[in-house]
Amino acid sequence: MEEEWKCGMLVEDEQILDFISEIDEAIDKVKETFKDYRPLLNGDRWICDREVAEFLKVSRHTLFTYRQKGLLPYVLLCGKILYRERDLEELLQRNYVPAQK
């Protein structure tokens, strides 16, 4: 039988190899599930300009224009621009135009 090493151990049992493979798959699924997870900071979720542009379906240059006009509050931290998700929701609510009956 050919010797196989995995994770620094000699593995001779096929069941152990299968179990390790299942663990690797589970880890990959967890990573995929949480890849876009954004933890709350003082109850607020902060997102970057790329995500905001995708969410609003506008270009990053348009976001720049919104910032320059003072339409959209933001935080500039070490060269990174962050937007509070709540501020985006409020912007959309302020500019909501209801349907006419």
Side-chain angles (χ1 to χ4, degrees):
M1 181 175 185
E2 185 178 314
E3 291 182 350
E4 183 176 350
W5 289 85
K6 181 97 175 181
C7 299
M9 299 176 1
L10 177 62
V11 179
E12 296 177 348
D13 190 342
E14 191 64 32
Q15 288 179 326
I16 293 173
L17 285 175
D18 291 342
F19 181 68
I20 291 172
S21 177
E22 289 175 18
I23 290 173
D24 288 340
E25 288 175 22
I27 290 171
D28 289 342
K29 287 180 183 178
V30 169
K31 286 179 181 177
E32 178 65 24
T33 300
F34 290 101
K35 72 177 180 179
D36 294 325
Y37 173 71
R38 299 283 189 267
L40 296 179
L41 179 61
N42 291 331
D44 289 317
R45 192 174 318 278
W46 294 84
I47 54 180
C48 70
D49 62 337
R50 179 188 51 80
E51 294 168 310
V52 173
E54 288 175 12
F55 175 72
L56 295 177
K57 307 289 191 250
V58 298
S59 70
R60 293 168 83 179
H61 181 74
T62 299
L63 288 179
F64 172 78
T65 302
Y66 290 172
R67 289 193 308 270
Q68 295 300 310
K69 290 183 176 183
L71 299 174
L72 188 57
Y74 64 97
V75 170
L76 179 60
L77 181 65
C78 299
K80 178 87 170 174
I81 297 172
L82 299 173
Y83 301 86
R84 191 170 28 202
E85 195 173 72
R86 179 169 39 104
D87 292 335
L88 297 172
E89 293 168 3
E90 290 172 3
L91 175 72
L92 293 175
Q93 287 298 321
R94 281 193 312 268
N95 291 284
Y96 179 73
V97 178
Q100 301 294 321
K101 289 189 177 189

